[in-house]
Amino acid sequence: MNLFNFSFLIFAGIAFAGKVVTYTATSDVSQEEANNTAMAGIAKQISSRVQAKQTLEKKETTDAGKSALSENYRSQSNIESNVKIKGAIVTPVKVSKGYKATATLDLDEYTADIQFQMKSIKQELAELETTIHKGLGKRQYAIAVNALDQAKRKIKTYEQLVEQLSAVYPVNDTHQLKHNIPSLESELQERLSKIRIEGPTEKFTIGMPEMPAWKVTVYDAIGPVENFPVRAKQGFQTLLERRTQANGSATFNLRNVNFDKGPYTIVVEPDFSDELLSSTGLGKAFELSYQVNQARCSIRIVCNELANICSALEKKLSQKAIFLDADSKGPLLDLKISSTEEKSLKINDSMTRYSYNVDLTLKGKGIQFITSAKEAGKNVTDATIKAIGKMDFAPLQKQLKPFCK
């Protein structure tokens, strides 16, 4: 709901009764809005860090035929952890006009829950440190990297919990989180910096958008590395992900590689975060170049369209190595182009734009190609030329393969 579409009045600020925090709010929109506002008031007062999405959990009990509805709220902090406000209850209050709710929070339950979460993180972090140690010892780098990522997230969560706790409870040295993650991270980065990836040295030549199978092998300072994650990328696109076998090798069978335009280079790198690749110098760990040799297809077409339309078609076909040659022995194809006006848009008194659906057909012995595109233009010729520029002639290229050299 847009905040500008409703108005509400928070008419009672925070109050302390013993170790219970209360906050009351009203809304002229809905009971839910009053409930959320009251809970948000407590959250804001408890800690400026607790800015949250509220999740409503409804529990209904029946006593002597009467239904009593209580609404318990949990507020999740906007960090990656699962930090919740325990001991918070929102109670709707009947009023003659509008909606009203009072939220209460038991600080003892709230602080006890935070400290329980902190204790759990300490235990989990110790287990993750052990996992990183074992991963490094067994050269299982993927396990070590994954455990390190988890550990760093838990450290951030712990820091957030300390901030929340310090708002309502005295924090001392016992709440300090002791760990060896920085030194383990440095050791892992040092070990990974010695990783090398080796692969084919020859340059491939391909005649279609796929490559023959090829292998890379991953080594560390000791030798081939098993179960090491690698990925093949082209530009910003990941083409394939693999794990190395017992001999440290991984096989890539790549399809849909760049064919009509570059870059004609495949990069193989560890399948880790960009941050880790940068810190270890493993970005672009191995590069494989290839060249494209498109088979030349010569065909014959009798184009009875306007000269600029025929020229646009010839230019577009040449991008797929399909060339018009009246003297060739290539297949003779019948061309048909039809343009149907769909709508018009008046730009001003002297200009109107028309939208057309353009259908193009090429038929001959063993060839049947149909495509279409929608385009707008100042007239049917302009729109047809633009539509031809958008058409995909790759399916025609495949049909013509037997006639190409």
Side-chain angles (χ1 to χ4, degrees):
M1 181 181 295
N2 192 316
L3 293 177
F4 295 101
N5 291 336
F6 67 89
S7 63
F8 57 81
L9 172 65
I10 302 174
F11 67 87
I14 193 163
F16 289 86
K19 292 188 177 181
V20 175
V21 181
T22 64
Y23 198 97
T24 302
T26 63
S27 169
D28 58 9
V29 176
S30 67
Q31 184 64 55
E32 180 183 9
E33 187 56 50
N35 295 347
N36 286 342
T37 304
M39 190 61 208
I42 280 189
K44 183 177 181 180
Q45 295 294 334
I46 291 294
S47 170
S48 61
R49 298 283 181 168
V50 183
Q51 302 168 1
K53 298 179 289 185
Q54 280 79 36
T55 302
L56 174 62
E57 295 181 331
K58 294 184 176 180
K59 296 179 181 178
E60 187 170 277
T61 59
T62 302
D63 182 18
K66 296 182 179 180
S67 177
L69 184 66
S70 67
E71 295 175 312
N72 297 326
Y73 275 75
R74 297 183 304 177
S75 178
Q76 181 170 334
S77 174
N78 59 348
I79 56 175
E80 296 181 10
S81 60
N82 187 29
V83 179
K84 303 172 184 176
I85 292 184
K86 294 287 187 179
I89 298 177
V90 176
T91 304
V93 180
K94 290 185 178 181
V95 290
S96 59
K97 184 178 180 181
Y99 305 90
K100 180 179 178 181
T102 296
T104 62
L105 174 67
D106 187 316
L107 284 177
D108 285 340
E109 187 175 351
Y110 172 65
T111 56
D113 178 67
I114 291 179
Q115 293 188 80
F116 175 78
Q117 292 183 62
M118 292 167 65
K119 181 180 179 181
S120 298
I121 288 178
K122 286 183 177 181
Q123 295 173 345
E124 293 166 356
L125 196 58
E127 294 173 358
L128 288 170
E129 286 187 359
T130 300
T131 300
I132 297 171
H133 273 298
K134 289 182 178 179
L136 289 172
K138 295 181 179 180
R139 301 163 64 216
Q140 296 176 345
Y141 297 107
I143 293 176
V145 168
N146 181 60
L148 176 64
D149 290 340
Q150 292 184 57
K152 293 170 75 172
R153 288 195 296 268
K154 290 189 179 296
I155 291 171
K156 290 182 180 180
T157 301
Y158 191 91
E159 293 171 351
Q160 175 72 17
L161 289 169
V162 171
E163 290 186 15
Q164 286 185 267
L165 184 64
S166 65
V168 294
Y169 190 88
V171 175
N172 53 43
D173 290 344
T174 62
H175 298 101
Q176 183 179 356
L177 183 61
K178 299 178 181 179
H179 58 84
N180 295 315
I181 294 303
S183 61
L184 287 173
E185 182 175 18
S186 296
E187 182 180 351
L188 177 58
Q189 290 177 351
E190 174 65 21
R191 294 277 293 276
L192 288 176
S193 67
K194 294 181 171 59
I195 291 290
R196 70 181 192 278
I197 301 177
E198 297 182 357
T201 57
E202 70 271 20
K203 191 171 185 177
F204 287 92
T205 299
I206 61 174
M208 60 184 67
E210 58 185 57
M211 300 180 70
W214 48 276
K215 293 183 179 181
V216 297
T217 304
V218 178
Y219 300 90
D220 64 3
I222 299 175
V225 183
E226 181 181 2
N227 198 35
F228 192 90
V230 287
R231 63 190 175 209
K233 295 180 65 177
Q234 189 162 46
F236 295 104
Q237 182 183 7
T238 297
L239 302 179
L240 202 59
E241 298 172 347
R242 283 285 183 265
R243 292 257 179 170
T244 57
Q245 303 301 309
N247 62 356
S249 69
T251 301
F252 287 96
N253 295 276
L254 299 182
R255 303 289 184 268
N256 298 320
V257 299
N258 289 346
F259 189 71
D260 295 324
K261 58 181 180 179
Y264 299 124
T265 302
I266 305 296
V267 173
V268 179
E269 62 187 18
D271 195 4
F272 297 143
S273 68
D274 292 339
E275 179 184 0
L276 185 56
L277 294 182
S278 177
S279 64
T280 57
L282 287 175
K284 297 185 178 180
F286 171 76
E287 292 189 13
L288 175 68
S289 298
Y290 64 92
Q291 59 189 16
V292 171
N293 182 20
Q294 293 196 43
R296 180 185 178 91
C297 306
S298 296
I299 61 174
R300 293 173 291 159
I301 293 178
V302 177
C303 184
N304 296 319
E305 303 291 334
L306 294 175
N308 48 359
I309 293 179
C310 295
S311 176
L313 176 60
E314 185 173 2
K315 179 180 179 181
K316 185 65 178 181
L317 290 174
S318 67
Q319 295 176 4
K320 291 294 181 181
I322 303 172
F323 300 95
L324 305 186
D325 185 353
D327 298 326
S328 75
K329 296 182 180 179
L332 176 63
L333 304 182
D334 293 327
L335 169 68
K336 181 179 180 181
I337 299 177
S338 61
S339 303
T340 305
E341 182 180 336
E342 290 195 332
K343 60 181 179 180
S344 60
L345 176 64
K346 187 174 182 180
I347 307 300
N348 51 47
D349 292 338
S350 61
M351 181 182 297
T352 301
R353 302 287 288 182
Y354 300 91
S355 179
Y356 292 88
N357 186 63
V358 180
D359 297 305
L360 183 148
T361 302
L362 286 168
K363 292 184 178 180
K365 185 177 181 180
I367 304 296
Q368 183 169 332
F369 174 75
I370 302 174
T371 188
S372 63
K374 293 182 181 180
E375 190 55 84
K378 58 186 177 182
N379 52 48
V380 62
T381 300
D382 182 42
T384 299
I385 291 173
K386 291 179 180 178
I388 290 174
K390 291 173 58 177
M391 291 177 177
D392 180 15
F393 287 91
L396 175 62
Q397 186 183 36
K398 291 182 179 179
Q399 291 187 40
L400 289 170
K401 189 175 179 181
F403 307 99
C404 302
K405 297 180 180 179

